Amino acid sequence: MTGPVEAAVDRKNILDWLGSLDLEAPISSNQPSVNVPFQRWFRFKEAYSPKLVLDVVDQLDELPSHVFDPFGGCGTSAITSQFLGIPSTVVEVNPFLADLTESKLCSYHVEKLKKYLSKIQYETLADIEPSLKVDSFPKTFCEPGRSGKWLYNKSSFKRILQYREAIERICDEKYRRFFTIILGSILVPISNIFISGKGRKYRQNWNSRQKSAIDVEQAFNEKAQQAISDVQKHSTKLEQYEILRGSCLDHAKNIDGFELSIFSPPYPNSFDYTDVYNVELWMLGYFKSNDSCKELRAKTLRSHVQVNRSYEVNFDIPKALDKVITGLKNIRNELWNKDIPEMVLAYFDDLFQLLTTMRGKISENGNIVIVVGDSAYKSIRIPVTTLLCELAQQAGFVVHENKVLRKLRTSPQQGGQASLDESMIWLKPELYD
Ligand SMILES: C[S@@+](CC[C@H](N)C(=O)[O-])C[C@H]1O[C@@H](n2cnc3c(N)ncnc32)[C@H](O)[C@@H]1O
């Protein structure tokens, strides 16, 4: 590092924080940071590495005054900015992920965290019947489940609810959020499933390898101790952040302005974040009915077809994009969902609207860095990077850089080969005299 990062106020703290970063793994993935303090609280597979943010900042002339991330995820841009001493604004539509981000950014009294942990453990071990009932969750969550399959047996399910209720009794919102995230971080590891690609799969021999209430306790305790130690060793003093919960298409219009934006939107590959984080959303009480699930899906970027909604668009469609959409329409009958062509078009409309709004908010010397991957449906490749560069120019930006970071695998149906580009697009506002 030779630029602004070198000059950052608390450089030693940054180096300590990133001591366990894997420098060999691709920076557009979460692999380098699976053991990094804060990032290890919850394994968010779709994150990029803090190093990507540091590398970008280090190429600037000076530290930016404000960072904006419209697709916050687990908060990588914001937490890295915080270590650099830069205030940030993050938008995240998924309430669990928004809380995950906020739990990493706010400051705590370590003694209070320890006191609350003991209180939670004490209350949970009293083994009081939870007031939440099994039938307020999807049927598959608790034994006997549906079609002979379930996520948790009765004793571990009951223990999770006891933890949730003990956490809900904490009056101080930020401590309650901290322990909610800790509970969220163990939910999949102690379940009978794992997340594979876009969906859930049952573990091998899950039926004979059931977790018990004691496993729940151990996992919670370990995760809580780890997170408390991260807070104790690595916290920064800066607490200037803003988390906006909801869609960035709405919130971006109301932000004051920004100098740097680093973000990675969902890719138009039908990955449904609501489905992938469904276990956390239900078990932690963010979802109380199927309607809340539908409502969240309807607010997400139009990058998937899992909810019935309008795919209306309102932009000048570039020729290259039109050609891709015609190609998809020609093979509509072979696609696993008939709405895919319209969804892909709507995806670019959403990103165009966002970029247009951001053009009105960025400072003259500002920068936007986008990490995005190409997609493919059957024989039709969607060159997302190239199309987005064209739309960015249409929205009033110049493309400063466009470089491939790594090759992504196509879906198993397409052969699963590493052939899709994941790229970094660097934009600057086009300036007029
Ligand atoms: C690729 S992830 C971002 C990962 C992030 N860069 C990180 O390192 O953690 C995309 C995120 O966008 C969120 N998202 C989807 N639609 C959104 C919308 N309309 N507004 C805000 N966030 C949205 C998803 O919930 C997901 O967390």
Side-chain angles (χ1 to χ4, degrees), residues 28-30 39 44-50 53 69-77 90-95 97-98 100-101 104 244-251 262-267 271 273-274 277 296-304 309 350 354 371 422:
S28 55
S29 81
N30 81 327
Q39 295 301 79
F44 184 67
K45 282 198 179 153
E46 299 75 31
Y48 42 59
S49 164
V53 181
D69 185 344
F71 299 98
C74 74
T76 312
S77 301
V90 175
V91 190
E92 174 52 57
V93 75
N94 180 315
L97 297 174
L100 171 62
T101 297
K104 296 180 191 175
L244 303 171
R245 291 165 164 80
S247 172
C248 59
L249 299 180
D250 300 325
H251 284 302
I262 306 184
F263 69 88
S264 177
Y267 304 166
F271 182 92
Y273 283 85
T274 313
Y277 297 101
L296 174 56
R297 278 206 175 105
K299 279 192 248 160
T300 58
L301 200 77
R302 292 181 288 176
S303 60
H304 59 87
R309 61 175 156 180
D350 282 353
L354 176 68
V371 176
E422 185 168 55

Side-chain angles (χ1 to χ4, degrees), residues 12 34 38 66 98-99 118 150 168 175 195 203 240 292 305 319 346 382 421-422:
K12 182 177 174 313
V34 287
F38 297 101
H66 196 121
D99 276 356
S118 307
W150 59 85
E168 283 171 353
Y175 291 88
I195 307 297
R203 297 180 199 280
Q240 286 176 43
S292 38
V305 283
K319 273 205 183 102
I382 304 166
D421 291 345
E422 185 168 55

Side-chain angles (χ1 to χ4, degrees), residues 24 30 33-34 36 82 104 125 127 134 168 218 291 316 359 402 410 417:
E24 302 300 313
N30 81 327
S33 51
V34 287
V36 164
Q82 191 176 55
K104 296 180 191 175
L125 293 178
D127 203 19
V134 173
E168 283 171 353
Q218 274 172 355
D291 282 347
D316 284 338
R359 179 63 189 85
N402 171 3
T410 55
Q417 283 131 6

